[in-house]
């Protein structure tokens, strides 16, 4: 009986030594948006921890979608609320009917020329499917909702906790969205 106890104790110590660092690292990554580093549209690495203390709107975007005019609303929101601590992060994705086929340079040119986008834009990633980027795995896990189409939004609080998943059809200037945003800013 004593040897069985010692074997169990040894196994527990061994497994804790091996797996605890991995579990801690996983908990850090899944706990906050701020744990991620992403490549911006110009190829620079950007720690999302740079946005700690801000309310963040994460949105997957596309240039050839019926919802593409939402870029205007996103830019207006960013312009109106940036001084109050809100940032919009755009993530181009080609997951929905090939509606973001361009290169990062093409996307940046399109956004700047057509919508005057000044909020941070990132390099194209996959937001859904077997090649889904870990950032979007995190967003999906936090809300139970994967992106249903282009311009799906996630609202993130100042600590990096994902608060809400918002339908692609919902404008960030809608009364309901602004109410959620204002509530987060008041915290």
């Amino acid at each position: 009986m004593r040897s069985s106890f010692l074997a169990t104790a040894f196994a527990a110590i061994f497994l804790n030594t091996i797996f605890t660092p991995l579990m801690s690292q996983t908990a850090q990554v899944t706990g906050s948006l701020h744990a991620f580093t992403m490549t911006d549209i110009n190829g620079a690495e950007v720690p999302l921890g740079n946005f700690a203390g801000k309310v963040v709107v994460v949105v997957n975007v596309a240039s050839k979608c019926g919802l593409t005019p939402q870029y205007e609303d996103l830019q207006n929101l960013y312009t109106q609320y940036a001084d109050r601590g809100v940032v919009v992060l755009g993530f181009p994705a080609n997951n929905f009917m090939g509606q973001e086929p361009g290169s990062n340079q093409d996307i940046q040119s399109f956004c700047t020329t057509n919508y005057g986008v000044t909020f941070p834009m990132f390099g194209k990633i996959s937001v859904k499917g077997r090649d889904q980027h870990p950032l979007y795995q995190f967003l999906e896990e936090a809300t139970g909702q994967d992106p249903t189409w282009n311009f799906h939004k996630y609202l993130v609080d100042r600590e990096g906790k994902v608060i809400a998943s918002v339908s692609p059809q919902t404008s960030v200037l809608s009364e309901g969205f602004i109410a959620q945003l204002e509530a987060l800013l008041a915290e």
Side-chain angles (χ1 to χ4, degrees):
M1 182 173 208
R2 180 176 158 101
S3 65
S4 173
F5 172 77
L6 289 175
T8 303
F10 177 77
I13 292 168
F14 176 75
L15 291 174
N16 275 339
T17 304
I18 299 297
F19 291 110
T20 299
L22 295 176
M23 290 188 295
S24 297
Q25 186 176 26
T26 301
Q28 283 181 324
V29 171
T30 59
S32 174
L33 178 82
H34 302 150
F36 290 88
T37 297
M38 301 297 293
T39 305
D40 75 10
I41 203 150
N42 296 311
E45 295 296 309
V46 177
L48 298 189
N50 290 354
F51 303 108
K54 295 187 180 288
V55 173
V56 179
V57 179
V58 176
V59 57
N60 60 299
V61 295
S63 303
K64 300 187 182 306
C65 174
L67 299 175
T68 299
Q70 284 193 33
Y71 269 122
E72 184 174 350
D73 291 352
L74 292 164
Q75 181 58 42
N76 286 336
L77 180 86
Y78 180 63
T79 301
Q80 183 177 350
Y81 281 90
D83 289 346
R84 292 186 56 200
V86 174
V87 66
V88 175
L89 305 180
F91 291 91
N94 197 35
N95 293 95
F96 303 100
M97 295 186 65
Q99 294 181 346
E100 188 55 276
S103 68
N104 287 338
Q105 185 178 22
D106 295 336
I107 295 164
Q108 183 177 34
S109 176
F110 173 84
C111 291
T112 303
T113 303
N114 295 299
Y115 295 99
V117 168
T118 60
F119 57 82
M121 289 286 292
F122 290 82
K124 190 163 40 170
I125 61 172
S126 179
V127 299
K128 189 174 174 118
R130 69 179 195 282
D131 62 341
Q132 182 183 43
H133 191 281
L135 172 64
Y136 270 79
Q137 291 171 0
F138 161 74
L139 295 168
E140 181 179 338
E141 182 179 301
T143 62
Q145 179 66 56
D146 63 341
T148 55
W149 199 254
N150 303 308
F151 294 89
H152 194 106
K153 299 125 190 118
Y154 294 93
L155 193 55
V156 181
D157 73 9
R158 295 175 190 271
E159 287 77 41
K161 180 181 175 194
V162 185
I163 301 302
S165 172
V166 181
S167 162
Q169 290 77 20
T170 301
S171 167
V172 293
L173 299 180
S174 71
E175 193 174 305
F177 189 89
I178 294 296
Q180 281 187 301
L181 188 70
E182 289 285 354
L184 287 174
L185 287 171
E187 290 180 2

